[in-house]
Amino acid sequence: MVSASLIAFSNSSSDVVIGTSSYLMEHSHGKDMTYITNTAIEVINFVKSHNIEIRFSSEDSFRSNLVDLLSIYSTVDKIGVNRVGIADTVGCATPRQVYDLIRTLRGVVSCDIETHFHNDTGCAIANAYCALEAGATHIDTSVLGIGERNGITPLGGLMARMIVADREYVMGKYKLHKLKDIEELVAEAVEVNIPFNNYITVRIIHFIPSSMSCH
């Protein structure tokens, strides 16, 4: 029987997510990797039989055993999952850890790789960019970085990082002139203030000692 707790449908795509770290296996769902792998196979085959795009994601990826991760991702890749997901659920990963994991995973799977970074330690943007450098194809972002706890990778912040690396590509692909409007729309809808030092869209006036150069 397909476990409903593992699957979420959205129009013509779906996401299968389950915790793979020892912490979540012990304190959350109580299942081992054999159960997780077998259930993932069952769910993926079920979803694919209905011609629905599917992503398989581990939760708490950066506190999971590397061998376990690579094994289950290799398995789901072989049965035709469209995308695998890596999640820094508690925001503990460093850019170097991200690059190493994604680079290793890129050598194991042929499908797309999606990543999800929380900003608890202030590394969400750097982690997202390193993931792209290492071979990730998708980055989860949100407007103003709004999300659980400290939030996730902010859309504007990632655009700022990317535009420095390849301005022509970013300007040609993304409608950055729309960024300010969508930030203001979201900020009003959820009743939050746009940070005074927000990326790209906020005009900053620096007040500095007269002995220093003014910008």
Side-chain angles (χ1 to χ4, degrees):
M1 179 181 295
V2 175
S3 174
S5 64
L6 292 178
I7 188 167
F9 286 96
S10 176
N11 296 325
S12 60
S13 64
S14 61
D15 188 18
V16 178
V17 184
I18 192 165
T20 51
S21 69
S22 59
Y23 303 97
L24 294 184
M25 285 192 283
E26 180 179 355
H27 301 294
S28 178
H29 52 72
K31 309 301 183 182
D32 61 18
M33 285 304 298
T34 298
Y35 176 91
I36 291 170
T37 301
N38 291 337
T39 306
I41 293 170
E42 180 185 1
V43 172
I44 291 166
N45 284 332
F46 171 79
V47 173
K48 285 178 62 63
S49 72
H50 289 76
N51 298 315
I52 297 172
E53 180 180 304
I54 185 165
R55 179 187 78 173
F56 175 81
S57 300
S58 60
E59 186 181 7
D60 205 11
S61 308
F62 289 90
R63 296 194 298 174
S64 298
N65 179 276
L66 178 60
V67 173
D68 287 343
L69 281 182
L70 297 181
S71 176
I72 195 168
Y73 284 133
S74 176
T75 297
V76 299
D77 182 51
K78 289 175 181 176
I79 63 174
V81 75
N82 299 97
R83 190 158 69 250
V84 293
I86 289 287
D88 183 20
T89 306
V90 297
C92 65
T94 67
R96 179 171 292 181
Q97 287 176 310
V98 170
Y99 185 90
D100 288 346
L101 177 55
I102 301 300
R103 190 70 171 177
T104 301
L105 180 59
R106 182 73 282 170
V108 171
V109 301
S110 59
C111 62
D112 287 346
I113 300 174
E114 184 169 339
T115 57
H116 183 91
F117 300 105
H118 281 265
N119 201 36
D120 298 71
T121 57
C123 290
I125 295 172
N127 286 344
Y129 188 72
C130 282
L132 291 174
E133 289 186 312
T137 56
H138 295 66
I139 305 292
D140 293 350
T141 65
S142 69
V143 176
L144 298 174
I146 294 170
E148 186 180 15
R149 302 187 312 278
N150 295 66
I152 65 170
T153 308
L155 175 61
L158 182 58
M159 290 294 99
R161 176 59 264 175
M162 289 175 62
I163 202 169
V164 173
D166 194 337
R167 181 182 179 85
E168 183 177 348
Y169 172 80
V170 173
M171 295 297 292
K173 185 175 179 64
Y174 301 102
K175 299 177 181 179
L176 292 187
H177 64 282
K178 298 287 189 180
L179 185 59
K180 187 172 188 294
D181 290 340
I182 195 172
E183 288 180 341
E184 291 176 348
L185 177 67
V186 171
E188 181 179 358
V190 299
E191 300 181 341
V192 299
N193 294 321
I194 296 176
F196 78 92
N197 60 344
N198 191 41
Y199 311 95
I200 299 181
T201 61
V202 171
R203 181 179 178 85
I204 303 175
I205 301 175
H206 295 282
F207 294 95
I208 56 178
S210 58
S211 60
M212 299 176 65
S213 298
C214 294
H215 299 280

